[in-house]
Amino acid sequence: GGYRVLAFDQRGYAYTDNPSDFKASYRLRFIPKFIDALGLGNACVGGHSQAGNMVTQLALDGSPQVNKVIIIGTGPLLPPLPDQGGGGRARGGDEGEESEPTLESTRKDLEANTFHQELITPEVVQKRHQLSIGKNFEAAKQRANARERSTSDVPLWKRLKELPVPLLMIYGKQDRGQAGKRAALFMEMEPSIRLELIDNARHMVMWDAKELFAEKILDFLSK
């Protein structure tokens, strides 16, 4: 038994080559092609932060490569709080800084997104920094310049109940953007949607609560 887990880098991230097309729609098309190229047929597709929007859209589009969806820490897929008015559309993981990050700014960014600070070792900071400069920094700027406007007036979070495949949402209770309160509100609004809110965890919930995170996903996959 068991499950095969594949964590791939989209083009323009990590150790991949930068593409000629930096639009999100290009990266969206890349996902089913990646599944097809590996001959997987279909798979449970998970997306953290920005990528949660992509896997949601793939499922809504009826992509046959997607049989289940896991959303992890994607802020725009939670409703706004009543006092936020028409909010809830903010992008997760914004890019577009004018200058390359320093080691210190990289460390602060990790600290802001991780509850258990002891996980942020000098080695982790160094690796994250190296993957945020050079051609990856240029790619981030290009992606910021290539942002596409939504063609729908309906926020994506309002369409989650339309997904034709099983859905699991996982959030850290202490994540940015009042995610804990918004997730609790969403559970009241849509009790049929499976949402797991993990305490003592921020945006890097898969780091902060590694064992519980894996437990929630394995339970979801087994059903």
Side-chain angles (χ1 to χ4, degrees):
Y3 298 92
R4 182 185 181 192
V5 180
L6 299 170
F8 78 98
D9 293 320
Q10 287 271 14
R11 288 191 63 190
Y13 291 83
Y15 302 106
T16 66
D17 295 329
N18 285 354
S20 57
D21 188 342
F22 289 91
K23 294 192 293 293
S25 54
Y26 167 83
R27 299 195 298 282
L28 185 71
R29 295 192 301 271
F30 187 91
I31 298 171
K33 289 181 179 179
F34 176 81
I35 295 173
D36 288 344
L38 292 181
L40 300 178
N42 57 45
C44 172
V45 182
H48 175 247
S49 200
Q50 286 186 18
N53 292 321
M54 292 187 177
V55 297
T56 299
Q57 192 61 60
L58 283 175
L60 287 170
D61 291 344
S63 298
Q65 294 88 349
V66 178
N67 63 32
K68 288 186 177 181
V69 167
I70 300 175
I71 293 166
I72 306 157
T74 305
L77 292 178
L78 292 175
L81 295 173
D83 60 359
Q84 290 179 321
R89 286 177 170 269
R91 291 178 295 272
D94 274 354
E95 297 178 312
E97 296 294 327
E98 290 300 315
S99 58
E100 286 191 343
T102 62
L103 267 175
E104 179 64 13
S105 65
T106 299
R107 183 182 60 80
K108 287 183 177 180
D109 181 64
L110 286 168
E111 289 176 348
N113 288 295
T114 308
F115 187 88
H116 294 286
Q117 303 284 289
E118 69 275 10
L119 297 171
I120 308 170
T121 64
E123 292 76 20
V124 166
V125 175
Q126 180 67 36
K127 183 174 182 180
R128 178 64 173 259
H129 179 251
Q130 286 300 313
L131 293 177
S132 304
I133 60 176
K135 70 95 184 168
N136 286 343
F137 175 71
E138 291 303 317
K141 287 203 300 184
Q142 293 285 353
R143 287 191 294 269
N145 292 331
R147 286 194 183 118
E148 300 164 284
R149 284 189 170 277
S150 173
T151 56
S152 173
D153 290 332
V154 181
L156 206 52
W157 65 267
K158 287 189 175 181
R159 300 191 60 199
L160 288 175
K161 58 188 175 184
E162 300 173 22
L163 259 64
V165 296
L167 167 67
L168 169 65
M169 304 177 76
I170 302 179
Y171 287 83
K173 190 173 182 179
Q174 287 75 28
D175 199 353
R176 60 201 183 195
Q178 300 188 79
K181 291 182 179 180
R182 292 164 62 205
L185 172 64
F186 200 31
M187 285 189 278
E188 291 180 14
M189 295 170 61
E190 299 292 346
S192 64
I193 291 179
R194 180 170 178 178
L195 194 158
E196 300 285 355
L197 188 59
I198 298 179
D199 200 7
N200 296 330
R202 290 182 182 160
H203 199 55
M204 304 303 288
V205 59
M206 69 291 288
W207 285 5
D208 282 322
K210 182 179 178 180
E211 292 183 2
L212 184 57
F213 178 81
E215 180 184 309
K216 301 292 187 186
I217 288 178
L218 287 171
D219 183 64
F220 172 66
L221 293 176
S222 68
K223 288 183 168 58

